[in-house]
Amino acid sequence: MANPPVPDLEFSQKYDEAHAKYYFDKHENEFWRKLSNWRDHQIARKALEIAGNPKSVLDAPCGTGRFWDALAEQPGRVIHASDYSQSMIDAGLKYRPAEISRRIQSSFQASAFSLPVADDFVECIFCIRFVHHLAKSEDRTTLLKEFHRVASDSVIISLWVDGNYKSWVRNRREKARDAHQYQNRLVIPARVIEREFADNGFRIEASLDFIKYYHMWRTYVLKKI
Ligand SMILES: C[S@@+](CC[C@H](N)C(=O)[O-])C[C@H]1O[C@@H](n2cnc3c(N)ncnc32)[C@H](O)[C@@H]1O
């Protein structure tokens, strides 16, 4: 069967060199971002442990390598990093401490929907803060199928889900807005994404909420069926 076309997303174009530096700085320097970065790291460590402390991980999209320190905490883990924006990868390699950057075995520019690597390339794909940009179910399906091909065992994936205070507030605000306006980020109902996981060959090992019943971020640990 022919492969589906690689989705071309409007938001993908904004991560140029200037934006990459801005993205790096905002998570390192602003107080609330630092706090949320700390909680994201706590969840990432837990998720990796639940996934079985994978020996090889592909961070996709890696952005500026926000999680390379957490990924590198396991000695001997092989870490690969990929992003649509070479500027984001370059900023990570340039600004992260050398002992962390050195742990990146390979980095490559690629669409997450079509990764230029062999089947079962790594044990685990680590995909943080990407899926909340995917409004179309067919794009999420393309992504999940590609992850199913490339990961031999597990996928760690975060997105915005409903069933919490923040999504309720956002939903009310969205209703007041022009329905045809381009949406850069969106909440995906938990029952919808969980159905899509199952339909694409994954079972949910765990789900970890940023702040249960309050925040929208949820990280799922998926295992291949
Ligand atoms: C919000 S950042 C998240 C990066 C990182 N995971 C983190 O949490 O810091 C989103 C990233 O997605 C990348 N991106 C956008 N479109 C993409 C695509 N089609 N394939 C792979 N990466 C993409 C951007 O370049 C950017 O680095």
Side-chain angles (χ1 to χ4, degrees):
M1 217 167 60
N3 289 333
V6 176
D8 186 11
L9 309 170
E10 197 175 321
F11 100 99
S12 303
Q13 308 306 329
K14 75 173 184 183
Y15 296 89
D16 57 13
E17 198 178 330
H19 195 88
K21 181 72 171 73
Y22 162 76
Y23 191 86
F24 178 89
D25 286 340
K26 87 173 176 182
H27 286 286
E28 296 303 309
N29 299 330
E30 294 170 17
F31 175 75
W32 288 112
R33 297 274 181 189
K34 272 167 84 167
L35 194 63
S36 103
N37 198 25
W38 171 81
R39 175 69 180 142
D40 276 349
H41 273 67
Q42 197 179 43
I43 290 172
R45 288 187 184 100
K46 185 87 198 146
L48 286 161
E49 190 188 315
I50 293 169
N53 295 318
K55 291 184 187 62
S56 58
V57 175
L58 171 62
D59 184 10
C62 64
T64 60
R66 198 156 64 91
F67 294 97
W68 292 349
D69 53 352
L71 293 171
E73 277 165 12
Q74 180 170 305
R77 173 177 286 144
V78 175
I79 308 164
H80 302 275
S82 155
D83 199 283
Y84 187 83
S85 158
Q86 185 64 48
S87 300
M88 291 293 270
I89 302 171
D90 290 345
L93 293 172
K94 182 170 171 187
Y95 300 122
R96 298 288 158 201
E99 67 272 18
I100 299 292
S101 305
R102 261 200 302 273
R103 287 289 307 278
I104 307 304
Q105 172 110 349
S106 77
S107 63
F108 50 91
Q109 188 278 329
S111 164
F113 301 101
S114 174
L115 295 161
V117 293
D119 296 0
D120 295 340
F121 175 63
V122 280
E123 248 181 73
C124 174
I125 290 186
F126 183 81
C127 178
I128 305 297
R129 297 200 178 199
F130 180 58
V131 175
H132 67 310
H133 290 291
L134 307 185
K136 294 186 195 153
S137 173
E138 64 255 39
D139 290 352
R140 298 194 295 269
T141 295
T142 303
L143 185 79
L144 289 171
K145 283 192 190 312
E146 183 63 344
F147 284 2
H148 198 275
R149 180 185 76 77
V150 170
S152 66
D153 184 57
S154 61
V155 169
I156 294 170
I157 193 163
S158 79
L159 64 145
W160 283 351
V161 293
D162 62 352
N164 50 67
Y165 173 71
K166 285 277 200 181
S167 67
W168 175 77
V169 171
R170 190 176 169 90
N171 191 26
R172 272 170 54 117
R173 222 178 35 222
E174 289 297 321
K175 278 189 180 140
R177 253 211 255 169
D178 177 358
H180 298 291
Q181 240 175 351
Y182 170 70
Q183 275 204 48
N184 182 29
R185 300 179 301 172
L186 81 158
V187 174
I188 302 165
R191 63 172 174 76
V192 170
I193 194 73
E194 291 180 6
R195 181 76 257 157
E196 291 173 355
F197 291 152
D199 288 348
N200 290 290
F202 292 103
R203 70 176 164 78
I204 298 169
E205 185 75 11
S207 63
L208 306 168
D209 289 322
F210 190 89
I211 303 176
K212 205 169 171 59
Y213 304 125
Y214 178 72
H215 228 280
M216 300 187 283
W217 283 115
R218 176 172 292 167
T219 302
Y220 287 95
V221 182
L222 308 177
K223 285 275 185 176
K224 275 172 77 166
I225 298 170

